[in-house]
Amino acid sequence: MKTINQTKKTKNPFKRIPWYGWVGAIIFIVFQIGLYKLGGFFSQLVADHWSICPKIPAIDDGIPYCPYFFIQIYFLAYAFWFIGPLWISTGKKENFINFMIYGTIASFIGFFWFILMPTWMDRTAAGEDLIAKAEAIKTPFTRFLVQSIIKMDTGDIGWNLCPSYHCMASALCAYGVMRRKEHHIATRIGFEVMAVLVFLSTVFVKQHYFIDIIGGIGVATLPFVFIRYIWHPGEKIMLNNPLFLQAKHLTKKDVKQAEKAEEKK
């Protein structure tokens, strides 16, 4: 018996990206950048009353400054956040719905975290003057990328450190294909490796502290676990969509049988 929303395997999955995949990808990346910027605006207002620096000297002082490789990864993360939803949409529709829901929830959790607990980094602090280090980078392109990211993130004082949106969004993309058999194992491993590289890039280019990585992964993990393993909204939406059932010539009983058969595999 064919499972619901089964897709044909093709050599180039991008040729079968559905329209909602493009819409979802745009919404996903706009949410990451938009809520990050908006959270930064409000967090600086709250910071007049209180804020914290999440640095753990015993850990963060031991992490070297390595911009030559990791700054490229840091910027490639933005492409990852766009390609990720596109690729996930080529799989089962209910999984893509779940991805968009837990991705949206995670983004708003991070947004309110920025406001309620503003975090900051002084890039001109003695002993780790990141502004001076950026100017001293010999490779012009690398220097340009590092200086650009500093300017994009309010200059001398960096805000919105914890949770790291870079880590959160990258973890969400990796979760979107994790243990999904409709996606090739190479895709799943590639997404996981890219996510880990992004995690590392945030601290090796000194845009974040170690605890920010933990916060970003945590914010992504909580709604992911709740949506995929407890609530299952994507499956419920598809199960109660008469147009979907009619198009597939299935009844709700057929769908339930198909889901049980797949779980036994």
Side-chain angles (χ1 to χ4, degrees):
M1 180 184 295
K2 292 184 178 181
T3 57
I4 60 173
N5 203 37
Q6 189 174 26
T7 56
K8 296 180 180 180
K9 293 183 179 179
T10 63
K11 293 183 179 180
N12 185 0
F14 281 104
K15 290 183 178 180
R16 53 184 172 84
I17 296 173
W19 65 268
Y20 55 80
W22 294 100
V23 174
I26 294 172
I27 292 175
F28 184 78
I29 194 168
V30 167
F31 255 58
Q32 307 315 311
I33 298 175
L35 288 180
Y36 177 84
K37 291 295 184 181
L38 189 61
F41 172 77
F42 285 112
S43 66
Q44 290 181 62
L45 296 178
V46 177
D48 290 337
H49 303 283
W50 81 286
S51 62
I52 63 172
C53 176
K55 181 179 180 179
I56 303 175
I59 297 176
D60 294 297
D61 286 344
I63 299 175
Y65 182 57
C66 304
Y68 290 95
F69 170 71
F70 285 104
I71 190 61
Q72 282 83 359
I73 298 296
Y74 194 86
F75 271 95
L76 283 175
Y78 295 101
F80 183 42
W81 305 341
F82 186 73
I83 294 173
L86 289 179
W87 202 288
I88 294 167
S89 72
T90 65
K92 293 185 177 181
K93 190 173 184 178
E94 54 267 32
N95 180 56
F96 182 72
I97 294 173
N98 287 340
F99 166 77
M100 292 302 298
I101 292 175
Y102 61 69
T104 301
I105 293 174
S107 298
F108 274 105
I109 292 176
F111 170 72
F112 287 112
W113 189 335
F114 289 153
I115 298 174
L116 298 176
M117 191 177 70
T119 51
W120 56 273
M121 167 191 289
D122 184 359
R123 296 195 176 98
T124 62
E128 56 174 346
D129 191 337
L130 300 179
I131 305 297
K133 287 182 178 180
E135 294 175 352
I137 295 174
K138 296 180 180 180
T139 307
F141 183 64
T142 301
R143 182 171 63 250
F144 168 76
L145 292 179
V146 173
Q147 291 177 334
S148 296
I149 202 66
I150 290 175
K151 291 178 181 178
M152 289 168 58
D153 195 23
T154 66
D156 294 352
I157 302 296
W159 296 95
N160 292 359
L161 297 184
C162 189
S164 165
Y165 257 42
H166 259 69
C167 296
M168 180 195 74
S170 299
L172 289 170
C173 290
Y175 287 154
V177 299
M178 189 177 71
R179 301 183 67 181
R180 302 300 307 186
K181 294 182 180 180
E182 66 266 31
H183 297 292
H184 195 278
I185 187 171
T187 299
R188 286 177 271 162
I189 294 175
F191 271 47
E192 291 168 2
V193 169
M194 181 61 187
V196 172
L197 287 175
V198 173
F199 300 162
L200 295 174
S201 74
T202 61
V203 290
F204 280 117
V205 298
K206 299 295 182 177
Q207 290 300 302
H208 284 278
Y209 294 122
F210 176 76
I211 196 65
D212 307 336
I213 297 178
I214 305 302
I217 297 174
V219 167
T221 302
L222 290 177
F224 162 72
V225 171
F226 177 71
I227 294 298
R228 179 178 285 190
Y229 298 107
I230 300 176
W231 186 19
H232 311 291
E235 289 80 352
K236 293 177 182 178
I237 291 172
M238 299 302 290
L239 185 61
N240 291 287
N241 187 339
L243 293 177
F244 170 77
L245 296 176
Q246 184 178 1
K248 294 292 182 181
H249 305 290
L250 299 172
T251 64
K252 291 185 178 181
K253 183 178 180 181
D254 294 329
V255 175
K256 289 182 178 180
Q257 290 177 346
E259 290 175 341
K260 289 181 179 179
E262 188 170 350
E263 289 176 356
K264 292 180 180 179
K265 291 183 179 179

